[in-house]
Amino acid sequence: MGFGDLKSAAGLRVLNDFLADKSYIEGYVPSQADIAVFEAIAAPPPADLFHALRWYNHIKSYEKQKASLPGVKKALGKYGPADVEDTTGAAADSKDDDDIDLFGSDDEEESEEAKKLREERLAQYESKKSKKPAVVAKSSILLDVKPWDDETDMAKLEECVRSIQADGLVWGSSKLVPVGYGIKKLQIQCVVEDDKVGTDMLEERITAFEDYVQSMDVAAFNKI
């Protein structure tokens, strides 16, 4: 079990594939498992590994609360797909020839040439980081909004739902779907930014229109 060397491109690809259908390393909420894997990554994953980058940016937002997240942090090799060899121990004992020592050694006196080279590489590294585009994690959600009975004004119900406005929320297409006994439910699509809008907030806001809405359910939820 493991991700391999998460400082390598191969390790990050394994992590990206692992997160293709998961929001977190373990379970359904951020935990110490996410912190353990996050701390093993040297820099944000590249933009083409969008599952890993989405997860990385999300866990980074918990930096100040990481100590309070649930769970017990385990060795890195305890997380990840079962069919990947854990190479974290070997990676710790060896040094990658391609690694850049950004800060030099405290035990050796730097020559002027070495100091200049270190500063140039540090500047290049910071420049590359600043040019990386920010990736906004989004989800497409299909909601089922159910009225009280067949006498509920469904046009007014939909008007109420669409009146909900929030940063990171965009309403899409909708239709009325028969559920029986002459009652129809509103099925409506929306796209949300994961860090700004959640299903709990949508349910709270929609069911607040209690004269029209009996309940709200998530019919489909897909990462974009």
Side-chain angles (χ1 to χ4, degrees):
M1 176 178 286
F3 294 106
D5 182 5
L6 284 171
K7 291 183 174 61
S8 70
L12 289 176
R13 281 195 295 272
V14 173
L15 176 64
N16 186 71
D17 292 343
F18 181 78
L19 291 168
D21 58 354
K22 300 176 182 65
S23 296
Y24 303 103
I25 300 300
E26 290 184 343
Y28 300 95
V29 296
S31 69
Q32 293 300 321
D34 296 284
I35 298 302
V37 176
F38 179 87
E39 291 177 344
I41 298 175
D48 60 319
L49 302 180
F50 48 88
H51 298 303
L53 183 58
R54 177 259 308 162
W55 167 87
Y56 182 94
N57 289 331
H58 183 52
I59 299 306
K60 187 177 180 180
S61 70
Y62 287 90
E63 187 170 1
K64 293 183 180 178
Q65 305 107 291
K66 64 181 181 181
S68 63
L69 294 181
V72 177
K73 193 183 295 185
K74 297 181 288 189
L76 187 61
K78 299 295 184 181
Y79 306 114
D83 59 346
V84 175
E85 182 182 358
D86 174 25
T87 61
T88 53
D93 295 334
S94 63
K95 182 177 180 181
D96 188 341
D97 292 337
D98 294 331
D99 283 347
I100 298 175
D101 183 0
L102 297 178
F103 302 101
S105 170
D106 293 334
D107 300 328
E108 298 178 4
E109 185 177 350
E110 280 187 311
S111 68
E112 284 300 319
E113 185 177 351
K115 183 177 179 180
K116 183 178 179 181
L117 179 60
R118 175 173 64 84
E119 291 175 349
E120 288 177 354
R121 288 182 173 177
L122 181 58
Q124 291 172 1
Y125 174 73
E126 292 295 338
S127 177
K128 287 180 180 179
K129 277 183 32 177
S130 67
K131 291 178 181 177
K132 286 185 177 178
V135 176
V136 179
K138 295 183 179 181
S139 298
S140 174
I141 308 175
L142 183 64
L143 302 176
D144 281 345
V145 185
K146 298 175 183 176
W148 288 106
D149 51 41
D150 60 344
E151 296 183 356
T152 300
D153 186 339
M154 296 303 293
K156 184 63 178 177
L157 183 150
E158 180 173 352
E159 181 184 332
C160 291
V161 172
R162 290 187 181 274
S163 72
I164 299 171
Q165 301 294 318
D167 185 23
L169 169 64
V170 178
W171 293 109
S173 60
S174 65
K175 63 180 179 180
L176 296 179
V177 179
V179 294
Y181 303 101
I183 301 173
K184 295 181 180 180
K185 65 182 177 181
L186 172 69
Q187 198 166 74
I188 186 166
Q189 191 90 25
C190 65
V191 174
V192 303
E193 292 184 26
D194 295 348
D195 290 341
K196 296 178 180 179
V197 180
T199 54
D200 289 344
M201 184 273 271
L202 290 172
E203 182 174 14
E204 180 181 351
R205 299 279 295 274
I206 290 173
T207 54
F209 297 106
E210 55 188 20
D211 290 341
Y212 302 97
V213 178
Q214 179 192 126
S215 63
M216 186 215 85
D217 296 308
V218 177
F221 189 107
N222 296 293
K223 295 289 184 184
I224 298 178

